[in-house]
Amino acid sequence: MARCSVCGAPAVAYIRYQRRYLCRDHYLEFVESKVERAIMRHRLVGKGDRVLAAVSGGKDSSTLLAVLSRLSRRIGFHVVALYIHLGIYEYSEKSREASIRLASQLDVPLIVFDLNEVLGAGIPELAKASKRPPCSVCGMVKRYVINAAAVELGVDAVALGHNADDIAVYNLKSFLNQDLEAISKLGVKTESIPGVAVGRVRPLYYVYEKESFLYSLLAGLPFLHEECPFVERRQMEVELKETVNQLEDKRPGLKLQMVSKLAKRVEDYPKPKGSIGRCPSCGLLSSGGECSFCRVTRRALGRPMGPVVREWFRRRA
Ligand code: FES
């Protein structure tokens, strides 16, 4: 039986790019110290800061919240979790359940924002009315609600559960499309724009997807194993993911190199053109004119709902 390279206890994981076996406890410590190093190196969160962690009920956001909650005691910051109920039938019910159990197990305050309750419509209705694919409307709605929550709650940063595999695949895809502006958005953090947008941080930037999965299993975290029924498997992304995994098999540590190099060079990529302004309806970030959230909700529900969302969070601040 393989033994932990640190303490000699039975091993549960082999880290190929470090040629180390780890037992359960040292595995959890390995992932936590990766996240802690990212936080320190990139100054993602500091002592006394308030961080809003977006949770979806999935494995990555469960790992994110668990690791942040442990590190918050060590570093001295505060974590609040936000779950957005998207109104996607059974899937949303189960993911809400998993998020509530997770937050209570970790003893982290959780805010549940229910689209159906606040707007009177969920993602299926908004997608139908706007004639856009559910995933694209969903991404836009989540970005809006998370930012509105962060602005109204007055937090210092929003933490997202993107892992190293997500970043490596999007980086490669954007490079193949020569979409250099998209690459400029793949850094470890974005800066806040006072009153308009709160900066986002990616504490799992250097954590592989399978490392995040194993962490959530070994730490006994509740998470939902099924995927959203609307998930779109874009063929190119599936193939790129396979390719990156095959390369990682041949060259252990390749994903880590990809994201480390990107983190160093991301500032050199051109930023998206267009002015950064305020949406005339809700006052939050817009790249010109009314923001997408206010536009889509105006079309679907007869009025822009950004102010309603802001007010909902303002009452909870
Ligand atoms: Fe957003 Fe599936 S979680 S469309």
Side-chain angles (χ1 to χ4, degrees):
M1 176 196 282
R3 298 265 160 195
C4 175
S5 312
V6 182
C7 68
V12 295
Y14 179 57
I15 313 300
R16 281 187 70 211
Y17 55 86
Q18 291 189 350
R19 296 192 187 156
R20 287 204 301 165
Y21 286 98
L22 294 173
C23 65
R24 176 190 175 276
D25 288 356
H26 283 112
Y27 181 81
L28 297 181
E29 203 179 287
F30 158 73
V31 173
E32 286 158 15
S33 62
K34 259 192 178 195
V35 175
E36 187 171 9
R37 276 201 304 277
I39 290 178
M40 293 310 190
R41 189 185 311 150
H42 299 286
R43 296 175 203 270
L44 302 186
V45 189
K47 196 167 178 193
D49 280 354
R50 287 180 71 222
V51 182
L52 183 71
V55 295
S56 65
K59 66 178 188 329
D60 291 319
S61 59
S62 299
T63 295
L64 174 76
L65 193 63
V67 176
L68 284 183
S69 131
R70 285 186 79 111
L71 294 178
S72 66
R73 290 187 278 277
R74 198 140 81 218
I75 300 175
F77 57 87
H78 309 279
V79 190
V80 181
L82 169 67
Y83 169 76
I84 304 171
H85 188 296
L86 299 162
I88 305 179
Y89 324 118
E90 268 302 289
Y91 170 77
S92 286
E93 294 306 319
K94 289 185 193 165
S95 55
R96 167 167 53 191
E97 177 67 20
S99 303
I100 290 174
R101 280 198 291 130
L102 175 75
S104 114
Q105 184 171 315
L106 298 171
D107 201 18
V108 172
L110 171 74
I111 299 172
V112 175
F113 178 89
D114 189 323
L115 278 185
N116 270 317
E117 252 171 45
V118 182
L119 306 186
I123 294 300
E125 295 77 25
L126 293 175
K128 197 168 168 201
S130 59
K131 298 193 177 74
R132 280 170 58 175
C135 276
S136 113
V137 174
C138 180
M140 179 277 288
V141 167
K142 284 192 284 196
R143 276 192 299 278
Y144 183 85
V145 173
I146 292 169
N147 185 50
V151 168
E152 296 303 339
L153 299 172
V155 299
D156 299 285
V158 165
L160 304 173
H162 301 150
N163 60 46
D165 295 52
D166 298 330
I167 303 293
V169 170
Y170 283 130
N171 181 21
L172 196 52
K173 180 183 159 194
S174 308
F175 177 77
L176 292 176
N177 289 331
Q178 277 302 289
D179 186 352
L180 304 185
E181 293 174 0
I183 299 181
S184 78
K185 297 180 189 167
L186 294 177
V188 192
K189 67 175 181 179
T190 62
E191 298 301 333
S192 295
I193 305 170
V196 178
V198 173
R200 287 165 296 150
V201 299
R202 294 175 165 135
L204 304 186
Y205 201 82
Y206 300 101
V207 177
Y208 283 17
E209 183 176 312
K210 66 179 186 188
E211 292 172 347
S212 162
F213 179 61
L214 187 57
Y215 183 97
S216 53
L217 286 181
L218 293 176
L221 305 174
F223 68 93
L224 191 61
H225 292 256
E226 65 193 74
E227 281 189 321
C228 167
F230 291 136
V231 73
E232 277 176 28
R233 291 261 168 267
R234 293 202 182 93
Q235 197 49 32
M236 187 179 181
E237 275 170 31
V238 174
E239 285 166 14
L240 288 177
K241 196 167 180 172
E242 280 169 16
T243 306
V244 170
N245 282 334
Q246 283 163 5
L247 289 170
E248 174 75 28
D249 267 352
K250 285 192 194 136
R251 296 170 186 273
L254 179 110
K255 284 181 209 168
L256 208 48
Q257 281 176 27
M258 281 176 78
V259 295
S260 303
K261 286 180 180 163
L262 177 61
K264 283 191 192 128
R265 302 296 305 270
V266 73
E267 292 301 323
D268 298 342
Y269 285 91
K271 304 267 179 301
K273 293 180 196 78
S275 58
I276 292 176
R278 282 177 186 263
C279 166
S281 298
C282 71
L284 294 182
L285 190 64
S286 156
S287 53
E290 198 170 47
C291 70
S292 309
F293 183 81
C294 285
R295 245 184 300 127
V296 165
T297 49
R298 178 195 290 283
R299 204 172 308 145
L301 308 167
R303 66 180 169 128
M305 296 300 268
V308 176
V309 174
R310 292 193 69 175
E311 178 59 26
W312 192 90
F313 284 107
R314 200 171 298 145
R315 279 191 266 119
R316 272 146 196 88

